[in-house]
Amino acid sequence: MDINRILRETFVVEAEHREELGSTNDRAMQRTKQGASRLPLLVIADRQTAGRGRGGNRWWTGSDSLAFSLLLESAAVEGKKDTPRFTLGRRSNSGPNVLLGLGAGVAVVESLKPLLENVEIGILWPNDVMAAGRKLAGILVEVLPNGRTIIGIGINTNNSMADVPAELLPIATTLLDLTGKRQNHTEILVTVLNRLEEQITILKCAPAELAARADALCLQRDKPLAIQHDRKTVAGLCRGIAPDGALLLETPDGLRSFYSGTIIK
Ligand code: BTN
């Protein structure tokens, strides 16, 4: 990993690269408690022993995959003052950073697409990155009590499905398995971080544009799906992603918007 190149070519101002960590999100959280002041801070781990996913799930960090977290100042991801609907962090009123998560999904898809000729790649709301119908990358956005935000991204790069836990066999994929080629992690990181910076800029000045990009990549559109929200399951036909980042579901009760929830099918 060429940390100097990452510092030179991206908006990251400090980077910590470890052979092993429990979770890069947890380490970023610890760094903020220790008073990290040079942000954006990037934390990368070659191995995670306790990688975390959304909804309390675990994240399998296969050997030679990419796992990193970016710690951002809250102001770095807040919308303009006259668009409070799109502010993030504790003041968010549009679900837990749904737009930032979508932006990260867009950044990952746009970065990996050129590596995957003739493979369909897109997003499952809120921010799973899928390729050839299987999960290629996952994103975990967390807001800390001090308003800082952590964007954790795991990408199945040079790991192989040959080593995957049995339960993931039918649902996950890796760049190596899809292309037969090993990728350069520094190259991917530089590209993803630059795309992420672009999305954060768009989020601040034109959030609906970010949502439109995510909508264009949404693989659920016009498909039946069910979401678990507030301990209830709501089923309907997906009508894509709204300009404020909500998942649109056409239900027997009309068109409904969801800002959070777990997709169950
Ligand atoms: C999901 O799909 O449920 C989200 C997975 C997010 C995994 C990444 S790997 C880097 C960062 N550290 C973690 O513990 N989780 C995120």
Side-chain angles (χ1 to χ4, degrees), residues 23-25 48 51-54 59 68-69 135 138-139 153-154:
S23 148
T24 55
N25 268 39
Q48 287 188 125
R52 295 190 288 109
R54 282 196 318 275
W59 175 257
F68 60 97
S69 300
K135 187 149 164 173
I139 293 157
I153 301 182

Side-chain angles (χ1 to χ4, degrees), residues 135-201:
K135 187 149 164 173
L136 180 63
I139 293 157
L140 177 65
V141 177
E142 296 182 302
V143 181
L144 305 179
N146 62 7
R148 287 180 171 180
T149 302
I150 298 171
I151 305 173
I153 301 182
I155 307 177
N156 292 323
T157 50
N158 298 328
N159 47 326
S160 168
M161 293 301 289
D163 308 320
V164 81
E167 70 268 23
L168 297 182
L169 251 186
I171 54 172
T173 191
T174 79
L175 285 175
L176 181 64
D177 287 313
L178 288 167
T179 64
K181 289 186 206 142
R182 289 181 61 79
Q183 305 294 335
N184 179 310
H185 276 176
T186 305
E187 197 69 44
I188 292 187
L189 253 176
V190 167
T191 311
V192 170
L193 290 166
N194 285 328
R195 293 264 181 272
L196 194 55
E197 185 187 12
E198 255 168 51
Q199 292 307 312
I200 290 170
T201 306

Side-chain angles (χ1 to χ4, degrees), residues 2 7 9 26 43-44 76 78 101 104 112 123 134 144 146 154 172 181 193 224 227 245:
D2 185 345
L7 291 172
E9 296 183 16
D26 289 348
V43 179
I44 313 163
E78 279 184 354
L112 302 185
I123 293 171
R134 287 154 179 252
L144 305 179
N146 62 7
K181 289 186 206 142
L193 290 166
I227 184 168

Side-chain angles (χ1 to χ4, degrees), residues 3 24 34 45 48 54 76 84 90 99 123 131 144 153 183 185 187 202 204-205 222 239 254-255:
I3 295 293
T24 55
Q34 291 168 349
Q48 287 188 125
R54 282 196 318 275
R90 284 170 297 168
L99 277 166
I123 293 171
L144 305 179
I153 301 182
Q183 305 294 335
H185 276 176
E187 197 69 44
I202 296 173
K204 288 197 277 187
C205 55
D222 298 330
R239 291 303 185 202
L255 191 65

Side-chain angles (χ1 to χ4, degrees), residues 9-183:
E9 296 183 16
T10 74
F11 71 143
V12 164
V13 300
E14 191 182 337
E16 175 177 335
H17 179 202
R18 297 284 198 94
E19 266 178 32
E20 185 176 296
L21 281 174
S23 148
T24 55
N25 268 39
D26 289 348
R27 177 63 185 151
M29 230 174 262
Q30 193 182 40
R31 287 290 307 266
T32 205
K33 283 187 195 139
Q34 291 168 349
S37 58
R38 290 160 42 75
L39 305 184
L41 165 74
L42 177 70
V43 179
I44 313 163
D46 295 339
R47 282 189 301 280
Q48 287 188 125
T49 53
R52 295 190 288 109
R54 282 196 318 275
N57 291 327
R58 292 186 57 186
W59 175 257
W60 168 65
T61 313
S63 165
D64 236 346
S65 67
L66 195 49
F68 60 97
S69 300
L70 195 64
L71 174 64
L72 296 161
E73 204 59 78
S74 58
V77 289
E78 279 184 354
K80 284 190 292 189
K81 287 198 170 46
D82 57 345
T83 55
R85 195 173 169 70
F86 301 111
T87 58
L88 294 163
R90 284 170 297 168
R91 283 187 283 137
S92 169
N93 61 357
S94 60
N97 300 294
V98 68
L99 277 166
L100 185 59
L102 287 170
V106 169
V108 172
V109 170
E110 288 182 349
S111 304
L112 302 185
K113 207 179 173 72
L115 306 174
L116 291 168
E117 258 174 62
N118 304 322
V119 175
E120 185 186 43
I121 179 165
I123 293 171
L124 293 186
W125 185 96
N127 49 28
D128 285 342
V129 173
M130 308 294 287
R134 287 154 179 252
K135 187 149 164 173
L136 180 63
I139 293 157
L140 177 65
V141 177
E142 296 182 302
V143 181
L144 305 179
N146 62 7
R148 287 180 171 180
T149 302
I150 298 171
I151 305 173
I153 301 182
I155 307 177
N156 292 323
T157 50
N158 298 328
N159 47 326
S160 168
M161 293 301 289
D163 308 320
V164 81
E167 70 268 23
L168 297 182
L169 251 186
I171 54 172
T173 191
T174 79
L175 285 175
L176 181 64
D177 287 313
L178 288 167
T179 64
K181 289 186 206 142
R182 289 181 61 79
Q183 305 294 335

